[in-house]
Amino acid sequence: MKLEILAKRDSLDLQYAIISKIRDLINHKNLEPGDKLPSERMLSEKFGVTRSNIREAIQKLEFYGLLDSIPQSGTFVANIGVIALNGMIDDILRLEDPDFKSLVETRILLELKTVRLASLRRTEEDLKIIKEALDAYTKKVLDGEDAVQEDLLFHLAIAKASGNSTMNTFMLIITPEIITNFEKYHVCDKNLAYQGIEEHNEIYDAIKNQNPKLAKQKMKDHFSVLYQYCYNIKESS
């Protein structure tokens, strides 16, 4: 799963680079709403990427309503003004560079939902994967090694067990940034890693016993330090 995360990071970087190039192309050629973009083949040759890379970038811009792809006809600039189009693309590109605190805050909100769903929907295979991640984290901590990635892999396994592909995708998107920035910001004291073993076990047990209320509370307890970091308050209840 670690390689999968890194590959996801690289794929997103490339996708956003292509989106930026498509925006520059639209501006350079003064394309108006309804104008046709070059073919995927031509764009792939121009940008030095694969056609599948081009297709993924175009699909994202379609999702935001900035491009229209018509089968057998091609891809066209949507019926939106150039200023608005550029503004929206800039917003999309900024989504790729959030501050660390926002990433952590989003992670907390997502995980309180995913752990509840995981406790309701988990399969025996899900439990096995979560337990393997927990054991890997425990071993690293007890050996005195950095267990940041193992910690996050444990949480990704829970997200997958939630059965909600959208939440799982969001976790895969934000997790690489958290891994990259963790050492830079030193949010958590390394001594908390030992405490994390117990907390992870409590979360796992709640999921295993299919107790969504307890699972959510245990996850909330686990994130108490991050809550204080993001909100500068101590959460109650």
Side-chain angles (χ1 to χ4, degrees):
M1 187 180 289
K2 188 180 300 182
L3 291 177
E4 178 183 346
I5 293 172
L6 297 177
K8 185 78 174 179
R9 173 77 260 169
D10 291 341
S11 177
L12 286 169
D13 287 343
L14 178 59
Q15 185 179 108
Y16 278 72
I18 295 172
I19 288 175
S20 181
K21 289 179 181 294
I22 290 176
R23 175 196 57 191
D24 294 342
L25 178 68
I26 291 174
N27 290 326
H28 179 70
K29 290 186 174 294
N30 295 316
L31 298 181
E32 300 288 342
D35 286 346
K36 185 177 180 179
L37 264 64
S39 67
E40 289 181 0
R41 179 181 61 80
M42 293 178 65
L43 289 175
S44 68
E45 292 175 357
K46 182 177 180 63
F47 299 157
V49 297
T50 67
R51 291 181 65 175
S52 63
N53 293 147
I54 295 294
R55 193 172 302 116
E56 289 175 358
I58 287 175
Q59 287 174 346
K60 181 174 285 290
L61 291 173
E62 279 189 280
F63 174 79
Y64 287 103
L66 303 180
L67 296 179
D68 289 323
S69 289
I70 302 176
Q72 310 304 320
S73 297
T75 302
F76 302 83
V77 178
N79 187 25
I80 182 173
V82 175
I83 294 178
L85 182 143
N86 276 287
M88 291 183 69
I89 290 180
D90 286 342
D91 286 342
I92 293 171
L93 295 175
R94 275 196 293 270
L95 289 175
E96 192 58 12
D97 189 28
D99 64 88
F100 185 60
K101 185 181 292 187
S102 294
L103 285 169
V104 173
E105 181 181 55
T106 301
R107 177 190 171 194
I108 292 172
L109 294 173
L110 277 174
E111 293 216 50
L112 293 180
K113 297 294 184 182
T114 57
V115 74
R116 180 181 179 280
L117 291 175
S119 66
L120 294 170
R121 300 173 177 174
R122 97 291 185 279
T123 64
E124 290 303 314
E125 180 63 22
D126 290 328
L127 284 177
K128 178 182 176 182
I129 295 173
I130 295 172
K131 186 62 164 62
E132 288 175 350
L134 171 56
D135 290 343
Y137 171 79
T138 300
K139 184 178 187 304
K140 277 287 189 73
V141 172
L142 295 180
D143 287 345
E145 299 178 27
D146 185 340
V148 175
Q149 293 190 7
E150 285 72 21
D151 180 14
L152 291 168
L153 289 173
F154 170 77
H155 291 276
L156 283 177
I158 293 174
K160 188 173 185 299
S162 74
N164 186 305
S165 60
T166 301
M167 287 186 179
N168 188 39
T169 298
F170 285 158
M171 283 291 293
L172 285 170
I173 290 173
I174 68 175
T175 296
E177 287 287 351
I178 294 176
I179 291 177
T180 301
N181 287 289
F182 187 87
E183 291 298 332
K184 177 181 178 182
Y185 287 91
H186 295 288
V187 174
C188 293
D189 189 317
K190 290 185 178 180
N191 291 329
L192 294 176
Y194 289 96
Q195 181 180 332
I197 295 176
E198 179 180 353
E199 293 173 348
H200 280 190
N201 273 288
E202 290 175 341
I203 292 169
Y204 170 78
D205 288 340
I207 293 173
K208 180 179 180 180
N209 296 326
Q210 296 188 296
N211 188 330
K213 184 176 181 180
L214 180 61
K216 182 178 179 180
Q217 184 58 52
K218 290 300 181 181
M219 184 66 79
K220 194 171 184 179
D221 294 342
H222 180 52
F223 283 138
S224 61
V225 174
L226 289 180
Y227 263 120
Q228 293 174 48
Y229 172 74
C230 287
Y231 305 112
N232 293 316
I233 59 173
K234 293 185 177 180
E235 290 286 320
S236 59
S237 78

